[in-house]
Every structure is written in structure tokens, then in C-alpha cells.
Amino acid sequence: DAGVIQSPRHEVTEMGQEVTLRCKPISGHNSLFWYRQTMMRGLELLIYFNNNVPIDDSGMPEDRFSAKMPNASFSTLKIQPSEPRDSAVYFCASRLEETQYFGPGTRLLVL
Amino acid sequence: KNEVEQSPQNLTAQEGEFITINCSYSVGISALHWLQQHPGGGIVSLFMLSSGKKKHGRLIATINIQEKHSSLHITASHPRDSAVYICAVRRAQKLVFGQGTRLTINP
């Protein structure tokens, strides 16, 4: 298996633009997590899904952030409009039993 | 105060030294994870503990549920062990992360 796949790996955009991050979990994993990592705050959970259903989105910073999981093999995290303070590395992870498998991350820079 | 506290924040040692990284938490948990983040940014899950001790190669992780404390040990450390080590506690299905310990092993 290729592991968790995220795209793009890097994104540079201007403030106000829409950003869409994509994740393909490992086949057979039924839980998917979106995390954000910054120097100031470390790793933070944004939202997670069980069987494609959003369970807890209390970590989503504000209404500019939204996440979807239309099927078991694909999820998106959208920021609209983006702001410079959204600059971070965004990780997607999928879980089988107790172990989470992290994707390589998307490094986002909002100018 | 953070729910998960790690110490030290930074650790530099010579190759071959025995390394200990500590993690304390303040809430009830169902499990504790140790993660490794390489300089390139990738994150790998090392251990999941709910009690006792686990060993994998040169890495050993222990947890004391009563004291709300876990340690990660590295024996015979090597420069390739240089990374950020992150402790995370599981509450319900969510992980709450410590700030990480940056480990540098010099040859």
C-alpha cells in the first residue's frame, strides 16, 4: 500500500484565495483525521471522520474551514477565504485499530 | 497549563548515550502514543501504550497510569535517531499532543 496520500505537497497562495487540500486514506481504514501543525501551537486536531461521517469538528478554527469525506477513499479540507495565519503544515491520518498512519503533509503558505 | 507536557523540549547528546524523554498528562486517557517526526516532516507512530512497557529494537516506552506519566527511552543512540518525538494522549477518539522534544544525536 502507498500509505496515506496527500496533495498538493506544497501550496503558496495569496490571502483571500480558496485553498483545497486533498487526502486519500489507506484502503480499509475507517477513521480519518485532519491535523494542523504550527511552530507556535504544535499539532492540533481539526476534525475527524468515522465511516465517512464527521464526528468531531470542534477543532476547526472558524467557518472559513470546512471538510468533507464523500467516500471512504477521499477527503478534502477547504479554506475559504485563506488568511496568512492559516500558514501551517496540514496532515491527514487514517487509522486501523489503535495506530494512526500519517500522510506526508501539505505545507501551506498564505501570503 | 497544557494537558500534555513533555520534557525536555530540546536534547542534544553524543552517539551511544542512553536517552530519556518524559511525558506527563493531566487528564484521564484511554491510551498514550509516542510519535516520531523526522527532519523532513514525516510522522511515524512508534508506540501505543495503555499500561506497562513496550520495546521495539532500541526503543522502550513505559507508562505509569497512576502517576499520569510516560517515558520514551533510546538505548545506544545514533545520529539517525535525531528527530522530534511527540507524546499524544488519546481521549475518546481524539489525540491531544505535547509540544514535542527535539532530539539531536551528534556523531
Side-chain angles (χ1 to χ4, degrees):
Chain A
D1 200 315
V4 176
I5 298 172
Q6 290 188 248
S7 64
R9 294 292 306 277
H10 300 89
E11 177 82 27
V12 181
T13 191
E14 292 186 336
M15 182 175 65
Q17 296 297 306
E18 177 179 295
V19 175
T20 298
L21 311 181
R22 297 173 176 81
C23 176
K24 182 182 188 311
I26 295 173
S27 176
H29 290 194
N30 62 355
S31 298
L32 183 141
F33 302 78
W34 282 102
Y35 297 99
R36 179 172 67 176
Q37 186 179 38
T38 62
M39 288 292 292
M40 290 299 295
R41 300 172 68 92
L43 269 166
E44 301 173 287
L45 175 66
L46 299 176
I47 185 171
Y48 75 92
F49 297 82
N50 272 357
N51 297 315
N52 313 341
V53 176
I55 302 300
D56 187 338
D57 64 354
S58 59
M60 297 284 262
E62 48 199 90
D63 291 345
R64 298 184 297 105
F65 285 69
S66 62
K68 294 181 180 180
M69 192 165 185
N71 56 62
S73 59
F74 184 66
S75 177
T76 59
L77 178 68
K78 187 175 292 187
I79 309 172
Q80 167 63 17
S82 58
E83 296 183 3
R85 59 193 167 120
D86 302 329
S87 299
V89 180
Y90 290 82
F91 288 98
C92 174
S94 66
R95 187 178 72 194
L96 178 65
E97 296 178 348
E98 293 290 344
T99 301
Q100 290 196 21
Y101 296 82
F102 286 76
T106 295
R107 188 174 296 275
L108 173 65
L109 177 62
V110 183
L111 302 174
Chain B
K1 188 176 174 10
N2 293 333
E3 291 183 27
V4 182
E5 294 277 354
Q6 286 185 236
S7 63
Q9 289 188 334
N10 294 282
L11 178 57
T12 299
Q14 291 298 120
E15 183 173 356
E17 288 189 39
F18 181 80
I19 303 299
T20 296
I21 300 171
N22 296 299
C23 176
S24 296
Y25 53 94
S26 57
V27 296
I29 66 171
S30 56
L32 183 144
H33 295 252
W34 281 102
L35 309 171
Q36 181 192 52
Q37 186 168 27
H38 290 284
I43 298 176
V44 175
S45 179
L46 296 175
F47 294 104
M48 190 282 295
L49 293 162
S50 54
S51 65
K53 179 170 73 174
K54 286 189 176 179
K55 185 176 188 293
H56 185 256
R58 295 180 295 105
L59 273 60
I60 303 166
T62 64
I63 187 168
N64 185 318
I65 298 295
Q66 287 73 30
E67 296 186 2
K68 293 186 168 62
H69 181 267
S70 175
S71 293
L72 176 69
H73 305 285
I74 304 175
T75 62
S77 59
H78 190 275
R80 64 175 175 266
D81 298 325
S82 298
V84 176
Y85 292 83
I86 303 170
C87 170
V89 298
R90 186 179 179 196
R91 300 177 62 198
Q93 296 200 54
K94 297 166 63 170
L95 288 182
V96 179
F97 298 88
Q99 285 293 93
T101 295
R102 184 174 299 277
L103 175 65
T104 302
I105 304 296
N106 293 319

